Amino acid sequence: MNIFRLAGDVSHLVAILILLMKIWRSKSCAGISGKSQVLFALVFTTRYLDLFTVYISAYNTVMKVVFLALSYATVYLIYMRFRNSYDSENDTFRVEFLLVPVIGLSFLENYAFTPLEILWTFSIFLESVAIMPQLFMITKTGEAESITTHYLFFLGLYRALYIANWVWRYHTEGFYDQIAIVSGVVQTIFYCDFFYLYVTRGEEIGLKSYCVMKSQRSCSS
């Protein structure tokens, strides 16, 4: 394992913990897309079906369990524990527009036409677009707590570090995974605009300012 992979995993874990701590401490899931979190839980579930059949390392096994547990804990807090604060009126992204093409691609583009391999491919494709309901919700409401910007920042950082990991592995091991790389690049693109504003303007931008600036860019282009 190289430093980029490790840093990417840590960034991913930090993002999820930031979100969980935000919900638990505020006793509210306002501004958080439950649909995105369900999609992420589905990503981990379909990707880690080999948890009890394939052993790679203790680190790999522990991280699989941690991500599964945290993703379902987040879904539980949103839809059960603090469901009264869930903003379902603004969390309206049509997830079928993501699921249908992702399912189709999983059957058409995979490394082996077996159930586990198709589900693994499905998880890779789905992860690349799972954040879209959250971004749609932010754009629709025009605001969110600053803690959500940190969550999005660390998710974007996780993907950027994984791209560095793939570059490193290609040059040192000759490893090349077209499905994972293409999907990872697509996912990173979704974060690029927000990532740039976060780094250059910091917390000052907020999500409301982010949405306003995106609108201004669209009008001037």
Side-chain angles (χ1 to χ4, degrees):
M1 180 185 298
N2 60 71
I3 187 62
F4 301 111
R5 165 72 183 276
L6 181 60
D9 287 344
V10 171
S11 296
H12 196 183
L13 183 59
V14 168
I16 297 173
L17 289 175
I18 285 174
L19 195 65
L20 270 175
M21 293 301 294
K22 180 268 178 190
I23 297 173
W24 187 256
R25 288 182 176 178
S26 66
K27 308 299 182 185
S28 170
C29 54
I32 298 172
S33 169
K35 291 185 176 182
S36 270
Q37 297 310 311
V38 168
L39 292 179
F40 280 125
L42 184 58
V43 164
F44 294 130
T45 301
T46 52
R47 183 174 302 172
Y48 300 149
L49 289 173
D50 64 350
L51 181 61
F52 300 106
T53 59
V54 178
Y55 179 81
I56 298 176
S57 67
Y59 171 84
N60 182 271
T61 299
V62 169
M63 292 301 283
K64 285 179 178 180
V65 172
V66 168
F67 282 121
L68 278 168
L70 293 181
S71 65
Y72 278 98
T74 305
V75 171
Y76 167 76
L77 292 180
I78 293 173
Y79 286 102
M80 299 294 291
R81 187 66 179 269
F82 304 119
R83 62 182 179 275
N84 292 334
S85 62
Y86 170 52
D87 187 7
S88 59
E89 292 184 2
N90 286 311
D91 193 13
T92 56
F93 189 90
R94 300 281 296 277
V95 295
E96 59 267 29
F97 291 157
L98 302 178
L99 290 173
V100 171
V102 164
I103 291 171
L105 279 173
S106 302
F107 279 92
L108 294 173
E109 187 70 28
N110 54 68
Y111 294 127
F113 202 74
T114 62
L116 283 181
E117 192 65 32
I118 291 172
L119 288 170
W120 177 85
T121 306
F122 169 82
S123 77
I124 297 297
F125 288 147
L126 182 60
E127 186 182 16
S128 68
V129 295
I131 197 62
M132 288 185 69
Q134 180 67 66
L135 296 178
F136 176 81
M137 187 177 185
I138 289 171
T139 303
K140 185 176 180 180
T141 61
E143 57 184 7
E145 295 182 22
S146 62
I147 198 72
T148 312
T149 68
H150 302 323
Y151 166 69
L152 291 172
F153 170 80
F154 279 102
L155 275 184
L157 182 60
Y158 145 63
R159 294 317 311 179
L161 287 167
Y162 256 62
I163 291 177
N165 162 63
W166 292 323
V167 172
W168 177 268
R169 292 191 65 184
Y170 178 76
H171 284 288
T172 60
E173 306 171 22
F175 175 83
Y176 179 77
D177 186 332
Q178 180 177 330
I179 292 175
I181 292 174
V182 172
S183 299
V185 170
V186 169
Q187 185 178 0
T188 305
I189 290 172
F190 285 127
Y191 294 99
C192 281
D193 195 33
F194 167 80
F195 190 82
Y196 171 77
L197 291 175
Y198 184 99
V199 171
T200 58
R201 305 283 298 271
E203 291 185 27
E204 158 193 350
I205 66 170
L207 266 294
K208 190 168 185 177
S209 300
Y210 166 64
C211 296
V212 170
M213 292 178 73
K214 282 198 69 175
S215 298
Q216 291 174 341
R217 284 186 180 183
S218 300
C219 292
S220 60
S221 58

